Short mmCIF file of all heavy atoms in Angstrom, two decimals:
data_model
loop_
_atom_site.label_atom_id
_atom_site.label_comp_id
_atom_site.label_asym_id
_atom_site.label_seq_id
_atom_site.Cartn_x
_atom_site.Cartn_y
_atom_site.Cartn_z
N GLN A 282 -7.41 -16.92 -20.25
CA GLN A 282 -7.74 -15.50 -20.16
C GLN A 282 -7.06 -14.90 -18.94
O GLN A 282 -7.01 -15.52 -17.87
CB GLN A 282 -9.26 -15.33 -20.04
CG GLN A 282 -9.76 -13.90 -20.13
CD GLN A 282 -9.67 -13.34 -21.51
OE1 GLN A 282 -9.42 -14.07 -22.48
NE2 GLN A 282 -9.86 -12.05 -21.65
N VAL A 283 -6.51 -13.71 -19.09
CA VAL A 283 -5.85 -13.00 -18.00
C VAL A 283 -6.50 -11.62 -17.90
O VAL A 283 -6.67 -10.92 -18.89
CB VAL A 283 -4.34 -12.84 -18.26
CG1 VAL A 283 -3.70 -11.99 -17.17
CG2 VAL A 283 -3.66 -14.21 -18.35
N HIS A 284 -6.86 -11.25 -16.69
CA HIS A 284 -7.42 -9.93 -16.43
C HIS A 284 -6.44 -9.13 -15.61
O HIS A 284 -5.84 -9.64 -14.65
CB HIS A 284 -8.75 -10.05 -15.69
CG HIS A 284 -9.78 -10.85 -16.41
ND1 HIS A 284 -10.51 -10.35 -17.48
CD2 HIS A 284 -10.18 -12.13 -16.26
CE1 HIS A 284 -11.32 -11.28 -17.93
NE2 HIS A 284 -11.15 -12.38 -17.21
N LEU A 285 -6.28 -7.86 -15.98
CA LEU A 285 -5.32 -6.99 -15.32
C LEU A 285 -6.03 -5.72 -14.87
O LEU A 285 -6.79 -5.12 -15.64
CB LEU A 285 -4.18 -6.63 -16.28
CG LEU A 285 -3.42 -7.81 -16.88
CD1 LEU A 285 -2.51 -7.34 -18.01
CD2 LEU A 285 -2.61 -8.53 -15.82
N VAL A 286 -5.77 -5.30 -13.64
CA VAL A 286 -6.39 -4.09 -13.10
C VAL A 286 -5.30 -3.20 -12.51
O VAL A 286 -4.62 -3.60 -11.55
CB VAL A 286 -7.43 -4.43 -12.02
CG1 VAL A 286 -8.04 -3.15 -11.47
CG2 VAL A 286 -8.52 -5.35 -12.59
N GLU A 287 -5.14 -2.01 -13.09
CA GLU A 287 -4.14 -1.07 -12.61
C GLU A 287 -4.74 -0.13 -11.56
O GLU A 287 -5.94 0.17 -11.57
CB GLU A 287 -3.58 -0.20 -13.74
CG GLU A 287 -2.90 -0.93 -14.86
CD GLU A 287 -3.81 -1.09 -16.06
OE1 GLU A 287 -5.04 -1.08 -15.86
OE2 GLU A 287 -3.32 -1.21 -17.18
N SER A 288 -3.89 0.36 -10.68
CA SER A 288 -4.29 1.37 -9.72
C SER A 288 -3.05 2.15 -9.30
O SER A 288 -1.91 1.73 -9.60
CB SER A 288 -4.98 0.74 -8.50
OG SER A 288 -4.10 -0.15 -7.84
N GLY A 289 -3.27 3.27 -8.64
CA GLY A 289 -2.15 4.02 -8.08
C GLY A 289 -1.74 5.24 -8.86
O GLY A 289 -0.83 5.96 -8.45
N GLY A 290 -2.37 5.52 -9.97
CA GLY A 290 -2.02 6.72 -10.71
C GLY A 290 -2.44 7.97 -9.96
O GLY A 290 -3.09 7.92 -8.92
N GLY A 291 -2.05 9.12 -10.51
CA GLY A 291 -2.43 10.38 -9.90
C GLY A 291 -1.50 11.47 -10.37
O GLY A 291 -0.88 11.36 -11.43
N SER A 292 -1.41 12.53 -9.57
CA SER A 292 -0.58 13.67 -9.91
C SER A 292 0.57 13.80 -8.94
O SER A 292 0.43 13.48 -7.75
CB SER A 292 -1.42 14.96 -9.88
OG SER A 292 -2.45 14.91 -10.84
N ALA A 293 1.69 14.27 -9.45
CA ALA A 293 2.86 14.49 -8.61
C ALA A 293 3.67 15.62 -9.21
O ALA A 293 3.58 15.90 -10.41
CB ALA A 293 3.72 13.23 -8.52
N GLN A 294 4.43 16.27 -8.37
CA GLN A 294 5.34 17.29 -8.87
C GLN A 294 6.63 16.63 -9.33
O GLN A 294 6.97 15.51 -8.90
CB GLN A 294 5.64 18.31 -7.78
CG GLN A 294 4.46 19.22 -7.46
CD GLN A 294 4.86 20.39 -6.59
OE1 GLN A 294 5.70 20.25 -5.71
NE2 GLN A 294 4.26 21.54 -6.84
N ALA A 295 7.33 17.30 -10.20
CA ALA A 295 8.63 16.79 -10.65
C ALA A 295 9.52 16.54 -9.44
O ALA A 295 9.56 17.35 -8.51
CB ALA A 295 9.28 17.80 -11.59
N GLY A 296 10.18 15.38 -9.46
CA GLY A 296 11.01 14.98 -8.34
C GLY A 296 10.28 14.12 -7.33
O GLY A 296 10.90 13.52 -6.45
N GLY A 297 8.96 14.04 -7.47
CA GLY A 297 8.16 13.26 -6.55
C GLY A 297 8.09 11.79 -6.92
O GLY A 297 8.79 11.33 -7.83
N SER A 298 7.21 11.07 -6.23
CA SER A 298 7.09 9.61 -6.42
C SER A 298 5.64 9.20 -6.50
O SER A 298 4.75 9.85 -5.93
CB SER A 298 7.74 8.88 -5.23
OG SER A 298 9.11 9.17 -5.12
N LEU A 299 5.42 8.12 -7.22
CA LEU A 299 4.13 7.43 -7.26
C LEU A 299 4.41 5.94 -7.35
O LEU A 299 5.46 5.53 -7.86
CB LEU A 299 3.31 7.87 -8.48
CG LEU A 299 2.68 9.26 -8.46
CD1 LEU A 299 2.10 9.59 -9.84
CD2 LEU A 299 1.59 9.35 -7.41
N ARG A 300 3.47 5.14 -6.90
CA ARG A 300 3.58 3.69 -7.06
C ARG A 300 2.33 3.17 -7.74
O ARG A 300 1.22 3.39 -7.26
CB ARG A 300 3.77 2.98 -5.72
CG ARG A 300 4.08 1.49 -5.90
CD ARG A 300 4.44 0.78 -4.62
NE ARG A 300 3.27 0.34 -3.88
CZ ARG A 300 3.25 -0.70 -3.05
NH1 ARG A 300 4.35 -1.39 -2.86
NH2 ARG A 300 2.16 -1.01 -2.39
N LEU A 301 2.54 2.48 -8.83
CA LEU A 301 1.45 1.85 -9.57
C LEU A 301 1.38 0.37 -9.22
O LEU A 301 2.41 -0.26 -8.96
CB LEU A 301 1.66 2.00 -11.08
CG LEU A 301 1.89 3.42 -11.61
CD1 LEU A 301 2.00 3.37 -13.13
CD2 LEU A 301 0.79 4.35 -11.17
N SER A 302 0.15 -0.16 -9.24
CA SER A 302 -0.07 -1.58 -8.99
C SER A 302 -0.81 -2.18 -10.16
O SER A 302 -1.68 -1.53 -10.76
CB SER A 302 -0.89 -1.78 -7.72
OG SER A 302 -0.24 -1.23 -6.60
N CYS A 303 -0.51 -3.42 -10.45
CA CYS A 303 -1.20 -4.17 -11.50
C CYS A 303 -1.57 -5.53 -10.91
O CYS A 303 -0.70 -6.37 -10.70
CB CYS A 303 -0.30 -4.33 -12.72
SG CYS A 303 -0.98 -5.41 -14.00
N ALA A 304 -2.86 -5.70 -10.62
CA ALA A 304 -3.34 -6.97 -10.08
C ALA A 304 -3.74 -7.88 -11.23
O ALA A 304 -4.48 -7.45 -12.13
CB ALA A 304 -4.53 -6.73 -9.16
N ALA A 305 -3.23 -9.09 -11.22
CA ALA A 305 -3.48 -10.04 -12.31
C ALA A 305 -4.27 -11.23 -11.81
O ALA A 305 -4.01 -11.75 -10.72
CB ALA A 305 -2.15 -10.51 -12.90
N PHE A 306 -5.25 -11.65 -12.57
CA PHE A 306 -6.01 -12.84 -12.21
C PHE A 306 -6.63 -13.42 -13.46
O PHE A 306 -6.66 -12.78 -14.52
CB PHE A 306 -7.06 -12.52 -11.15
CG PHE A 306 -8.02 -11.43 -11.53
CD1 PHE A 306 -9.26 -11.74 -12.05
CD2 PHE A 306 -7.69 -10.10 -11.37
CE1 PHE A 306 -10.15 -10.74 -12.40
CE2 PHE A 306 -8.56 -9.09 -11.72
CZ PHE A 306 -9.79 -9.41 -12.24
N GLY A 307 -7.10 -14.65 -13.36
CA GLY A 307 -7.70 -15.33 -14.50
C GLY A 307 -7.18 -16.74 -14.59
O GLY A 307 -6.13 -17.08 -14.03
N PRO A 308 -7.91 -17.59 -15.32
CA PRO A 308 -7.57 -19.02 -15.33
C PRO A 308 -6.24 -19.34 -15.99
O PRO A 308 -5.67 -20.39 -15.70
CB PRO A 308 -8.74 -19.64 -16.11
CG PRO A 308 -9.33 -18.52 -16.89
CD PRO A 308 -9.12 -17.29 -16.08
N THR A 309 -5.73 -18.46 -16.85
CA THR A 309 -4.47 -18.79 -17.52
C THR A 309 -3.30 -17.96 -17.02
O THR A 309 -2.19 -18.07 -17.56
CB THR A 309 -4.60 -18.61 -19.04
OG1 THR A 309 -4.98 -17.26 -19.33
CG2 THR A 309 -5.65 -19.56 -19.61
N TYR A 310 -3.51 -17.14 -15.99
CA TYR A 310 -2.38 -16.37 -15.48
C TYR A 310 -1.46 -17.29 -14.69
O TYR A 310 -1.91 -18.08 -13.86
CB TYR A 310 -2.84 -15.23 -14.58
CG TYR A 310 -1.69 -14.45 -14.01
CD1 TYR A 310 -0.97 -13.58 -14.81
CD2 TYR A 310 -1.28 -14.63 -12.69
CE1 TYR A 310 0.11 -12.88 -14.31
CE2 TYR A 310 -0.19 -13.94 -12.19
CZ TYR A 310 0.50 -13.07 -13.00
OH TYR A 310 1.58 -12.38 -12.51
N ARG A 311 -0.19 -17.16 -14.94
CA ARG A 311 0.84 -17.89 -14.22
C ARG A 311 1.85 -16.91 -13.67
O ARG A 311 2.12 -15.88 -14.28
CB ARG A 311 1.55 -18.88 -15.15
CG ARG A 311 0.64 -19.91 -15.80
CD ARG A 311 0.12 -20.92 -14.81
NE ARG A 311 -0.75 -21.92 -15.47
CZ ARG A 311 -2.06 -21.82 -15.57
NH1 ARG A 311 -2.68 -20.75 -15.07
NH2 ARG A 311 -2.75 -22.75 -16.17
N MET A 312 2.45 -17.25 -12.54
CA MET A 312 3.41 -16.32 -11.97
C MET A 312 4.67 -16.23 -12.84
O MET A 312 5.50 -15.36 -12.63
CB MET A 312 3.77 -16.71 -10.54
CG MET A 312 4.55 -17.98 -10.39
SD MET A 312 4.94 -18.23 -8.63
CE MET A 312 6.06 -19.61 -8.75
N SER A 313 4.77 -17.11 -13.83
CA SER A 313 5.88 -17.01 -14.77
C SER A 313 5.56 -16.09 -15.94
O SER A 313 6.43 -15.83 -16.78
CB SER A 313 6.25 -18.40 -15.30
OG SER A 313 5.13 -18.99 -15.95
N ASN A 314 4.33 -15.60 -16.03
CA ASN A 314 4.00 -14.66 -17.11
C ASN A 314 4.88 -13.42 -17.03
O ASN A 314 5.20 -12.94 -15.94
CB ASN A 314 2.54 -14.21 -17.00
CG ASN A 314 1.58 -15.17 -17.67
OD1 ASN A 314 1.83 -16.36 -17.73
ND2 ASN A 314 0.47 -14.63 -18.15
N ALA A 315 5.25 -12.90 -18.18
CA ALA A 315 5.88 -11.59 -18.23
C ALA A 315 4.79 -10.54 -18.01
O ALA A 315 3.69 -10.65 -18.55
CB ALA A 315 6.56 -11.35 -19.56
N VAL A 316 5.11 -9.53 -17.19
CA VAL A 316 4.20 -8.41 -16.98
C VAL A 316 4.99 -7.13 -17.22
O VAL A 316 6.07 -6.95 -16.65
CB VAL A 316 3.60 -8.42 -15.56
CG1 VAL A 316 2.72 -7.20 -15.35
CG2 VAL A 316 2.80 -9.70 -15.34
N ALA A 317 4.45 -6.27 -18.06
CA ALA A 317 5.16 -5.06 -18.45
C ALA A 317 4.28 -3.84 -18.22
O ALA A 317 3.06 -3.93 -18.15
CB ALA A 317 5.56 -5.12 -19.92
N TRP A 318 4.94 -2.70 -18.12
CA TRP A 318 4.26 -1.40 -18.07
C TRP A 318 4.62 -0.62 -19.33
O TRP A 318 5.80 -0.57 -19.72
CB TRP A 318 4.70 -0.61 -16.85
CG TRP A 318 4.15 -1.13 -15.56
CD1 TRP A 318 4.78 -1.99 -14.70
CD2 TRP A 318 2.88 -0.83 -14.98
NE1 TRP A 318 3.96 -2.24 -13.62
CE2 TRP A 318 2.79 -1.54 -13.77
CE3 TRP A 318 1.81 -0.02 -15.35
CZ2 TRP A 318 1.67 -1.47 -12.93
CZ3 TRP A 318 0.70 0.05 -14.52
CH2 TRP A 318 0.65 -0.66 -13.32
N PHE A 319 3.59 -0.03 -19.93
CA PHE A 319 3.77 0.84 -21.08
C PHE A 319 3.12 2.19 -20.77
O PHE A 319 2.11 2.26 -20.09
CB PHE A 319 3.10 0.24 -22.33
CG PHE A 319 3.79 -0.99 -22.84
CD1 PHE A 319 3.46 -2.24 -22.33
CD2 PHE A 319 4.75 -0.91 -23.83
CE1 PHE A 319 4.08 -3.39 -22.81
CE2 PHE A 319 5.38 -2.05 -24.31
CZ PHE A 319 5.04 -3.28 -23.79
N ARG A 320 3.70 3.23 -21.32
CA ARG A 320 3.14 4.58 -21.18
C ARG A 320 2.58 5.03 -22.52
O ARG A 320 3.29 4.96 -23.54
CB ARG A 320 4.21 5.56 -20.71
CG ARG A 320 3.76 7.00 -20.64
CD ARG A 320 4.88 7.90 -20.14
NE ARG A 320 6.07 7.81 -20.98
CZ ARG A 320 6.26 8.46 -22.12
NH1 ARG A 320 5.31 9.27 -22.58
NH2 ARG A 320 7.38 8.33 -22.79
N GLN A 321 1.34 5.47 -22.50
CA GLN A 321 0.73 5.95 -23.73
C GLN A 321 0.75 7.46 -23.74
O GLN A 321 0.30 8.11 -22.79
CB GLN A 321 -0.71 5.44 -23.86
CG GLN A 321 -1.40 5.86 -25.14
CD GLN A 321 -2.63 5.04 -25.42
OE1 GLN A 321 -2.58 3.82 -25.52
NE2 GLN A 321 -3.75 5.71 -25.54
N SER A 322 1.27 8.01 -24.84
CA SER A 322 1.38 9.45 -24.99
C SER A 322 0.04 10.02 -25.49
O SER A 322 -0.84 9.27 -25.94
CB SER A 322 2.48 9.77 -25.99
OG SER A 322 2.09 9.36 -27.29
N PRO A 323 -0.12 11.35 -25.45
CA PRO A 323 -1.34 11.96 -26.01
C PRO A 323 -1.54 11.64 -27.49
O PRO A 323 -2.66 11.69 -27.99
CB PRO A 323 -1.11 13.47 -25.79
CG PRO A 323 -0.19 13.53 -24.62
CD PRO A 323 0.71 12.33 -24.75
N GLU A 324 -0.45 11.29 -28.18
CA GLU A 324 -0.57 10.91 -29.59
C GLU A 324 -0.89 9.43 -29.74
O GLU A 324 -0.85 8.88 -30.86
CB GLU A 324 0.75 11.22 -30.32
CG GLU A 324 1.10 12.72 -30.35
CD GLU A 324 1.65 13.22 -29.04
OE1 GLU A 324 2.20 12.39 -28.27
OE2 GLU A 324 1.53 14.43 -28.77
N ASN A 325 -1.19 8.76 -28.60
CA ASN A 325 -1.59 7.34 -28.59
C ASN A 325 -0.47 6.38 -28.98
O ASN A 325 -0.75 5.24 -29.35
CB ASN A 325 -2.81 7.08 -29.48
CG ASN A 325 -4.07 7.64 -28.86
OD1 ASN A 325 -4.20 7.71 -27.64
ND2 ASN A 325 -5.01 8.04 -29.71
#
């Protein structure tokens, strides 16, 4: 099992910056795991 916790979202103006974090833990998480970011649109 792998648990993932995101943080760092918020609001920014165009041209600005944000940094997102994804903390991973759990008995089967390995540092060789692939970790990806996906964006979900309002249409899901």
Side-chain angles (χ1 to χ4, degrees):
Q282 188 73 10
V283 175
H284 301 283
L285 304 169
V286 179
E287 300 100 334
S288 60
S292 298
Q294 289 191 323
S298 299
L299 287 171
R300 188 173 84 153
L301 306 183
S302 301
C303 173
F306 56 98
T309 58
Y310 178 74
R311 301 290 181 267
M312 68 178 189
S313 59
N314 275 30
V316 177
W318 287 95
F319 291 87
R320 175 179 58 82
Q321 182 164 302
S322 69
E324 297 77 24
N325 288 330

